[in-house]
Amino acid sequence: NAGVTQTPKFRILKIGQSMTLQCAQDMNHNYMYWYRQDPGMGLKLIYYSVGAGITDKGEVPNGYNVSRSTTEDFPLRLELAAPSQTSVYFCASSYRGGRPPYEQYFGPGTRLTVT
Amino acid sequence: EDKVVQSPLSLVVHEGDTVTLNCSYEVTNFRSLLWYKQEKKAPTFLFMLTSSGIEKKSGRLSSILDKKELFSILNITATQTGDSAVYLCAVKISGGGADGLTFGKGTHLIIQP
């Protein structure tokens, strides 16, 4: 299993540009999440999904959009990039069903700079 | 608003020392508390605690949860330079709303040789 994969690893965007951060998992997990981590801070939840076709907002959803057309993929879209979106983005997944632990597995992260 | 507070924010010790990292929380509908170790990239899972007073142990690392006082500690004994990392505490809530984790800011631990 590759686990959770993210592309790209690094990206520099100009203000106002758009991009999609890709996330895929091959563990047949039903739950997937997007977090951002700013320097010296903990992770903040942007969006999450409990299954294909179902998404919901987290703590900091403004400026982002997601879709979940398959169980495996959960892309995150930035429509009009702003400097405040400079951060490291982590995708995670977990299997929720039956008994815990509902451990989350994280991807390697995408470092995004908006200038 | 759900809150997870870790202390200290940074800590420098010598190899062989024992360290205790703290995590306190104020959340509604607590479900579990998780500890992660983050080195250069993605966090890696250490422990998940759901029951009060039961110690989880893995080698030199151990953790315990106090649901009455709303905190957890992570202990590392006989520290090694490879333990240098940011240690993140996160709380999972149940019920409606976001089903992710609320993270603390982390404790940056540096182990000096």
Side-chain angles (χ1 to χ4, degrees), chain A residues 71-93:
Chain A
T71 301
E72 293 78 21
D73 300 296
F74 190 41
L76 176 73
R77 178 121 182 113
L78 282 73
E79 288 296 347
L80 291 169
S84 60
Q85 293 177 304
T86 293
S87 192
V88 180
Y89 291 83
F90 289 103
C91 179
S93 71

Side-chain angles (χ1 to χ4, degrees), chain B residues 48-96:
Chain B
M48 185 168 105
L49 303 144
T50 52
S51 302
S52 208
I54 297 175
E55 187 184 46
K56 294 273 181 101
K57 208 165 163 57
S58 176
R60 297 175 293 103
L61 277 67
S62 63
S63 184
I64 198 159
L65 174 68
D66 186 328
K67 284 167 83 171
K68 187 177 169 197
E69 299 298 330
L70 308 183
F71 78 91
S72 173
I73 60 170
L74 175 69
N75 256 4
I76 310 175
T77 58
T79 51
Q80 302 169 357
T81 54
D83 295 326
S84 295
V86 175
Y87 289 83
L88 295 168
C89 171
V91 171
K92 193 168 181 69
I93 61 170
S94 59

Side-chain angles (χ1 to χ4, degrees), chain A residues 9 31 33 35 37 40-45 48 50 56-59 90 94 96 100-104 106-109, chain B residues 1 31 34 36 38 40-43 45 48 50 86 88 92 94-106:
Chain A
K9 287 194 169 68
Y31 279 57
Y33 313 83
Y35 294 92
Q37 185 175 33
M41 305 289 281
L43 283 79
K44 289 189 184 291
L45 182 67
Y48 71 103
V50 304
D56 210 344
K57 295 177 181 177
E59 287 179 82
F90 289 103
S94 65
R96 187 153 173 199
Y102 305 132
E103 179 189 335
Q104 291 196 0
F106 283 81
Chain B
E1 186 187 327
R31 189 181 190 115
L34 293 87
Y36 287 84
Q38 185 174 24
K40 297 228 183 289
K41 292 214 169 174
F45 173 80
M48 185 168 105
T50 52
V86 175
L88 295 168
K92 193 168 181 69
S94 59
D99 197 65
L101 300 168
T102 299
F103 282 82
K105 289 185 181 179

Side-chain angles (χ1 to χ4, degrees), chain A residues 6-44:
Chain A
Q6 289 184 239
T7 55
K9 287 194 169 68
F10 304 96
R11 183 73 188 268
I12 298 174
L13 279 184
K14 291 194 187 326
I15 293 171
Q17 285 186 319
S18 302
M19 79 163 292
T20 299
L21 282 68
Q22 301 290 346
C23 173
Q25 52 89 13
D26 61 359
M27 298 175 281
N28 204 30
H29 285 171
N30 47 356
Y31 279 57
M32 295 187 76
Y33 313 83
W34 273 106
Y35 294 92
R36 59 177 285 174
Q37 185 175 33
D38 299 331
M41 305 289 281
L43 283 79
K44 289 189 184 291

